[in-house]
Amino acid sequence: MSFAVRFLLFIGQILGFTISTLVFAQDELATTIELLVDQAIDQGQLPGAVVMIGHGDDVVLNKAYGFCTMKPELIPMTVDTVFDLASLTKPIATATSVMILAQRGAVDLQEPVAKHLPAFANHGKELITFEQLLLHTGGLIPDNPMSDYDGTPKESIDRLMNLDLNYSPGTKFRYSDVGFQILGEWVRVKTGRGIDVFSHDEIFGPLGMKETMFTPSESLRARSAPTEMRDGRWMLGDVHDPRAFALGGVAGHAGLFSTASDLAIYCRMMLGQGTLADRSVLDRVTWQRMTSGHEVPGGIRGLGWDKQSGFSSNRGKSMTDSAFGHGGFTGTALWIDPDLQLYVIFLSNRLHPSGQGSVNKLAGEIGNAAALWVQQQDSATQPAPGTTEPSNN
């Protein structure tokens, strides 16, 4: 942490300023973010991070903090570090793929999944809809036992299809990796392409996201942030999630890797209501359906996205109701606020090296600071009350 930032923090503690009050009085967003991240690093919550904030087509901040690798040696974090996105896979790869197929007429999201996946039609699961799986209200268990993944990937998927109903569909919100594994399998069955291939062909490739993929290439693995150890080796470019790993690194709930710069391309597409420049991924109606609020027991979700729920501690409190986002177990978070034309990307490997660390609060504070900064900039450009715009005549 720099001397200037330490001094600001010291003065703020003495005078009782909050971080936002102290820094926003000086209009210093970058100082705010540095202060927040360095505090968390000093507290052992993460080894390092990359933060990227965009306002419309402008990059407001793109900076690396701390270290990418703590063991076996110290290696500084860089802005082009590749991260295991964990559950960001759900909205970015799987839900977006499902929405693409829905807009093409391949499925009605109100239809039962079992209509398209007959092997799923058992144990009371016959009427679970695609929309319920996207909203995590489908009646499925959060995670099935690791013993279900003994054997081949096909045998694992067969066991997944045969799981019992956990609760009556639509009556609870229960975040479920299993539901998104089912969605990923449906994409494969429907299109003949795994979720890795379909999402590359229909989302990442057309957008020019060259560093976003499942099972990263060797060049990307070399730039990857490690998480924990598995079988005596650091997970470096290997998915941390054990179920996705057992399935070969490709699953509907986890397995995607990316960089901040690549994710910014996706965010700009979503700020553009499904379109970036001349590249359209989602039409406006589908984008609206995906990102608007859907009431679930105890909160509000989007289709594949979080909005305001028990999982929203990584959401900036000053963001508008239009905001949607998601977090990942490895220490990642991404939030997009269409009304503010704001996106906030937070990427860390908080599990390295000891499996500890906690970053949801930090990501939320960064999102809050970014939203406040945008609102401050927007208000500064508005005409003062009682004034009018100059005439062109």
Side-chain angles (χ1 to χ4, degrees), residues 10-11 55 78 113 117 136 153 159 166 177 201 212 234 245 310 323:
F10 175 71
I11 294 298
H55 186 208
T78 59
V113 176
L117 284 176
H136 298 278
R159 296 187 189 103
N166 186 251
D177 285 351
D201 291 350
T212 303
W234 290 107
F245 182 75

Side-chain angles (χ1 to χ4, degrees), residues 191-210:
T191 68
R193 291 176 280 174
I195 193 63
D196 56 336
V197 177
F198 186 89
S199 59
H200 173 270
D201 291 350
E202 306 294 343
I203 307 167
F204 311 136
L207 289 174
M209 298 170 63
K210 297 180 180 180

